[in-house]
Amino acid sequence: MSNRLQAVRGMNDILPDEAESWEWLEEALRAWLKSYGYRPIRMPIVEPTPLFKRAIGEVTDIVEKEMYSFVDSLNGEPLTLRPEGTAGCVRAVIQHNVAAERPQRLYYMGQMFRHERPQKGRYRQFHQVGVEAFGFTGPDVDAEQILMSARLWQDLGLDNVRLEINSLGQPEERAAHRAALITYFEAHQDQLDEDAQRRLHSNPLRILDTKNPAMQQLVNEVPRLMDYLGAESLAHFERVQSLVRHAGIAFTVNPRLVRGLDYYNLTVFEWVTDALGAQGTVCAGGRYDGLVEQLGGKSTPACGFALGIERLLALLEDAGHLPQAESPDVYIIHQGDAAAGLALRVAESLRDTGLNVLYHCGGGSFKSQMKRADNSGAPMAVIIGDDEVASGEVTVKAMQQKDWVEGDAANNQVRVALDDLAEHIMSQWSENDLGQGF
RNA sequence: GUGGGCGUAGUUCAGUUGGUUAGAAUAUCGGAUUGUGAUUCCGAGGGUCGUGGGUUCGAAUCCCAUCGCCCACCCCA
């Protein structure tokens, strides 16, 4: 095993059966994004390391211990494989003045990299769809993005996700609350467990998530962020809630909902599920009004969310909503040199009509070719042998009908003149409602 | 980074207190009237038992190390 070549831990190959599901989902996602006016943007997977440090925050887990950072050995530049998409997107928006003239709705999809221990729903290379809106002060975009994500679950037939929202207020409000939190916990330091001690100064909000029953009472009486929000922040949050409520979307306000990245302010939301093991978040995001300016751009309000593709696919799989493997429309069987040449031309002419055609390659007995044809799932086979070549005809056989009689070679098949083949197949298609392409 | 579980044909798995040449199902290939697919019957190929070392007359089995996968903690999509 020591010599064996294999993929890097936590970075998975996506093999054909699975990759077809990915493409199917990606198509659905693009249609969904387009229906909300979002336009594609594509950024590099590698960015200068300081971008992420400045955007995500120096003391976050991502920056401290999860980034794939390295120095370009050719010019000494510090680079990082993107651990999330927003920073690069904001960088691109600033660099090219994308949102200078009018607000922009943008999306991207692609791989992200975080050096974490892999487990169910968590990988070192994973894929996200990022949805970002620049130049809208909200709260209507906030609400629209929430409705938008709700529609996606509906489109995909998923009903086991629920919505949680919260407001983080403005940075000053959050800082005041954080200070109050630390003061409170310091006053009760004797009641803090080891975990909480560690988080006290790194991430005091996380202490609220403790599962330790001994700390529940302490945690319940903690200063509430909501009490530190100013009138504007509260009004924004109220408005988002009322818009979402009016759209008929159920949610709970979770005062403990914090995002792991520093740039968020005001609205944050998260779609969670119990169906995925320990990794319950399928989609999460919020407002980040300060980030563009913080990264050197002109002050621009922004709001966005990310969707985990692996987790979404896992949910779809769980619900049995993934499409079946794709089959060709026609499988072409042939035997003999003359037939091989003719069959190749027939295959091309059928593709001219828009059909997906599998031409048998590699020879083999007639029987084995029939087996391949059956195995391919194609509803029809075209058979070309010496007889057909001699008479200028081909045999068309319906494959999905299993009611054939032993020993009767003529089961479910007809001979058709070469010139009539395309027309014959098309009419069979409409009569029998075969395939998905018509 | 910490903990737990697991590594045996392409795949899913058996494999007794350590004892002949490591099995099954499934998949693949071939055959059962040489031009006909499901099902059925017959046959074949396919394994450095993750890897390396140790104990033993003898190791898939016991011990040590190592690599890998999975799940959980932490954190997050």
Side-chain angles (χ1 to χ4, degrees):
Chain A
M1 191 67 83
S2 52
N3 281 335
R4 202 160 139 191
L5 250 33
Q6 48 184 31
V8 175
R9 161 180 286 204
M11 305 202 184
N12 301 313
D13 297 311
I14 300 160
L15 303 179
D17 282 340
E18 216 185 328
E20 282 180 349
S21 294
W22 279 66
E23 295 201 347
W24 167 83
L25 177 60
E26 284 159 8
E27 274 173 44
L29 289 168
R30 288 202 174 91
W32 163 70
L33 288 156
K34 198 174 170 184
S35 77
Y36 281 83
Y38 281 81
R39 299 180 67 208
I41 181 170
R42 299 186 180 215
M43 299 84 64
I45 283 172
V46 178
E47 296 277 359
T49 301
L51 171 65
F52 298 116
K53 293 192 174 174
R54 285 172 59 186
I56 298 169
E58 292 270 6
V59 295
T60 56
D61 275 18
I62 292 179
V63 169
E64 278 181 343
K65 49 192 196 200
E66 294 173 4
M67 294 209 299
Y68 280 93
S69 295
F70 56 98
V71 173
D72 184 333
S73 61
L74 297 178
N75 64 5
E77 193 176 0
L79 301 175
T80 294
L81 262 39
R82 63 183 186 193
E84 57 101 49
T86 302
C89 185
V90 169
R91 195 224 78 234
V93 163
I94 295 170
Q95 183 174 337
H96 304 285
N97 287 313
V98 174
E101 295 184 343
R102 67 188 78 85
Q104 295 287 333
R105 289 176 167 89
L106 304 172
Y107 80 86
Y108 47 85
M109 15 208 291
Q111 47 275 83
M112 308 294 163
F113 302 85
R114 291 184 202 171
H115 192 109
E116 299 178 271
R117 193 75 171 259
Q119 68 185 80
K120 188 181 176 71
R122 194 177 74 182
Y123 309 99
R124 289 184 175 180
Q125 176 183 265
F126 61 102
H127 298 72
Q128 285 186 341
V129 180
V131 179
E132 321 279 5
F134 295 94
F136 302 97
T137 49
D140 47 1
V141 226
D142 313 26
E144 186 191 60
Q145 288 189 346
I146 291 170
L147 302 205
M148 181 179 175
S149 44
R151 176 180 292 273
L152 182 64
W153 316 135
Q154 201 186 338
D155 286 355
L156 295 175
L158 296 174
D159 52 12
N160 51 356
V161 287
R162 57 179 194 278
L163 175 63
E164 297 188 349
I165 67 176
N166 191 23
S167 176
L168 301 181
Q170 298 298 0
E172 322 78 67
E173 297 160 353
R174 208 162 13 140
H177 170 250
R178 185 190 155 102
L181 256 190
I182 293 175
T183 307
Y184 172 83
F185 282 129
E186 277 174 345
H188 301 83
Q189 201 140 24
D190 52 319
Q191 295 175 51
L192 297 180
D193 61 18
E194 194 185 336
D195 217 29
Q197 293 280 0
R198 185 171 53 77
R199 287 165 167 165
L200 181 52
H201 293 281
S202 64
N203 199 345
L205 275 173
R206 280 281 167 212
I207 300 178
L208 306 183
D209 286 335
T210 183
K211 285 154 197 155
N212 186 348
M215 285 176 54
Q216 285 310 316
Q217 202 195 337
L218 182 70
V219 157
N220 286 339
E221 290 162 12
V222 98
R224 296 173 354 136
L225 174 58
M226 217 47 76
D227 297 331
Y228 287 77
L229 297 193
E232 266 186 57
S233 295
L234 284 171
H236 187 107
F237 191 39
E238 284 303 325
R239 184 64 180 151
V240 172
Q241 288 185 63
S242 96
L243 287 169
V244 172
R245 200 176 291 119
H246 272 88
I249 293 166
F251 63 88
T252 55
V253 173
N254 178 358
R256 298 177 182 179
L257 180 60
V258 217
R259 316 278 31 264
L261 298 78
D262 280 357
Y263 51 65
Y264 287 105
N265 70 314
L266 293 173
T267 315
V268 291
F269 67 96
E270 199 164 299
W271 288 92
V272 294
T273 178
D274 308 317
L276 252 40
Q279 260 56 49
T281 305
V282 190
C283 170
R287 187 159 270 285
Y288 49 96
D289 294 323
L291 185 59
V292 176
E293 187 173 19
Q294 186 193 322
L295 291 180
K298 198 179 124 200
S299 174
T300 307
C303 188
F305 64 94
L307 221 145
I309 305 233
E310 283 85 351
R311 292 179 186 179
L312 185 49
L313 280 165
L315 275 181
L316 287 164
E317 161 120 66
D318 199 53
H321 290 348
L322 290 179
Q324 303 227 307
E326 287 169 33
S327 300
D329 298 320
V330 179
Y331 195 100
I332 299 196
I333 291 169
H334 55 89
Q335 202 138 55
D337 289 344
L342 176 58
L344 206 51
R345 293 199 302 280
V346 167
E348 289 301 330
S349 74
L350 290 176
R351 291 188 188 107
D352 286 342
T353 70
L355 291 166
N356 299 322
V357 181
L358 211 50
Y359 168 84
H360 183 90
C361 281
S365 69
F366 210 87
K367 195 185 186 72
S368 68
Q369 293 194 35
M370 283 302 297
K371 280 188 178 175
R372 288 282 182 84
D374 187 40
N375 207 257
S376 76
M380 276 193 191
V382 168
I383 300 171
I384 304 176
D386 293 339
D387 294 358
E388 283 85 352
V389 172
S391 62
E393 294 175 317
V394 299
T395 296
V396 178
K397 184 178 176 75
M399 295 300 290
Q400 299 309 0
Q401 294 157 27
K402 305 287 187 185
D403 56 342
W404 49 282
V405 180
E406 188 75 39
D408 183 356
N411 274 309
N412 301 315
Q413 65 187 50
V414 290
R415 297 268 288 240
V416 183
L418 209 41
D419 292 341
D420 300 336
L421 175 61
E423 195 186 335
H424 175 79
I425 287 189
M426 293 309 213
S427 70
Q428 285 296 300
W429 233 270
S430 46
E431 274 175 39
N432 297 317
D433 194 27
L434 298 170
Q436 302 91 18
F438 293 87

